[in-house]
Amino acid sequence: MRRLTLEPRPDWKDKADAVGFVYHHTDGQAYWDESAAYAFTLAEVEDDLEPAAAELHELCLDLVDEASRSEELLAKLAIPAAHWDFVAGAWRAKEPSLYGRFDFGYDGTAKPKLYEYNADTPTSVFEAATFQWLWLEELLASGALPPGTDQFNSLFEALRDRFRTLFPTGGFVHFASDAGAVEDRQTVRFFEDLATQAGLDPKFVAMLDIGVNAEGQFADREGLLLQAAFKLYPWEDMLREPYAAHLATAKVRWLEPPWKAILSNKGILPLLWARHPGHPNLLEAYFEGDPAASALGPRHVRKPLFSREGANVEIVGGEEPVLDQGYGAEGAILQAYHPPPDFDGKRPVVGAWIVGAEPAGIGIREDDSVVTKNLARFVPHIIEA
């Protein structure tokens, strides 16, 4: 694994806008950065990243199976007690999943280490599946990359085919997000396009425009019932909304399914460690307040159960500034300190995608700090010929 310095295409912004990647800058700073790329060997992908994602996915499903039958574990994961049966019932009913993303610390030498699992609403999927692939194709065509250069990236095709598997006879599906959040809306547009290619009939509805009718069913502004719905909105929030009382009876087939509430918070990190201590892809982790956490030493990481883009993540015993966005009321976990590798001051985190049950590619977020935050850049990658 190495970091390459490259010449950005002069018209990359126009190309990004043309395909709907209009959030390529955040607060005036470039989010997409093709002045660099990370190069991997085929062995690093096939022997390290791909099998780590596949095995951790299986360990996570085993954890869901256990947690869905344990009130103690559901409580540890801060799932509201009123919805335990709803979450567990979705698992027992084998409601299917579309995707997930494992975030790894990886330097090409040691085995990938799991920082967290974005199991419910993982963004960055569009840039990983589409724009970095278009970047690769153009650099190959121009000769900027040598023939035979590849990418660990079947994400677009895997997602499209997964929609076909989930809805083999086609049908009508709602797609929901915050309509005012540009990145969320464009990401959902990407999924609507995938669904169309898979033979579905997608219809967007803003989360704020979903109502509850007299029969306790969810409906959009036109009165169409939600029967199958993709939502880019986290379960930890949905389970705490006023409409949550209707979730169990509204008979909506959700993507992601309700059992992802078990996996979509950082409480799974100490639970996985307790079940598989010493696993090569796991970092030692404990719930805050567990006396065993003293084994982590004076420098370790404190993470709220629910947190996004590095918010309220603290390096205990370090000097890393904390991005305070108010997370942490539900509790926190403590994890071993394992900083991302340092490539001349740039620190990449590898996001390894799972579609269904299969690894389907990677995307890389790069920050100048140890904690990957909201202004981290997306940097493309290659597999060297």
Side-chain angles (χ1 to χ4, degrees), residues 179-265:
V182 174
E183 181 178 354
D184 286 5
R185 182 65 190 98
Q186 292 303 102
T187 299
V188 171
R189 279 195 172 98
F190 167 64
F191 282 106
E192 290 174 57
D193 179 61
L194 288 168
T196 299
Q197 294 190 36
L200 301 179
D201 181 14
K203 182 179 189 295
F204 179 75
V205 58
M207 289 298 300
L208 289 175
D209 288 340
I210 298 174
V212 181
N213 66 14
E215 289 74 37
Q217 297 171 294
F218 295 118
D220 63 20
R221 275 187 175 273
E222 287 73 45
L224 291 173
L225 297 181
L226 273 68
Q227 296 177 322
F230 172 98
K231 48 90 186 169
L232 194 62
Y233 194 72
W235 274 114
E236 65 262 25
D237 290 342
M238 287 184 68
L239 295 177
R240 290 166 171 82
E241 293 281 8
Y243 56 70
H246 301 281
L247 286 168
T249 56
K251 298 180 181 179
V252 180
R253 180 183 179 186
W254 296 102
L255 289 175
E256 288 295 291
W259 56 263
K260 281 294 188 79
I262 294 172
L263 296 179
S264 63
N265 72 70

Side-chain angles (χ1 to χ4, degrees), residues 44 52 79 81 111 153 179 240 265 303 346 354 379:
E44 288 169 340
I79 296 172
K111 293 297 183 183
N153 193 357
R240 290 166 171 82
N265 72 70
K303 297 180 176 181
K346 312 299 183 185
I354 288 284
V379 180

Side-chain angles (χ1 to χ4, degrees), residues 120-197:
D120 184 17
T121 61
T123 50
S124 81
V125 63
F126 176 58
E127 44 271 40
T130 299
F131 201 63
Q132 72 166 340
W133 182 258
L134 296 174
W135 165 88
L136 174 69
E137 289 185 323
E138 184 166 335
L139 265 61
L140 281 170
S142 69
L145 290 174
T149 302
D150 203 352
Q151 200 172 83
F152 179 25
N153 193 357
S154 61
L155 192 49
F156 184 97
E157 295 82 4
L159 288 167
R160 180 197 60 206
D161 294 346
R162 183 63 175 164
F163 272 117
R164 288 174 177 157
T165 298
L166 296 179
F167 301 94
T169 60
F172 179 79
V173 180
H174 278 90
F175 286 76
S177 74
D178 178 350
V182 174
E183 181 178 354
D184 286 5
R185 182 65 190 98
Q186 292 303 102
T187 299
V188 171
R189 279 195 172 98
F190 167 64
F191 282 106
E192 290 174 57
D193 179 61
L194 288 168
T196 299
Q197 294 190 36

Side-chain angles (χ1 to χ4, degrees), residues 64-79:
V64 174
D65 189 58
E66 180 177 356
S68 67
R69 293 178 280 108
S70 168
E71 293 184 355
E72 178 186 0
L73 293 184
L74 293 172
K76 276 182 173 289
L77 294 170
I79 296 172

Side-chain angles (χ1 to χ4, degrees), residues 73-92:
L73 293 184
L74 293 172
K76 276 182 173 289
L77 294 170
I79 296 172
H83 303 298
W84 287 350
D85 288 343
F86 173 59
V87 170
W91 174 253
R92 289 192 296 270

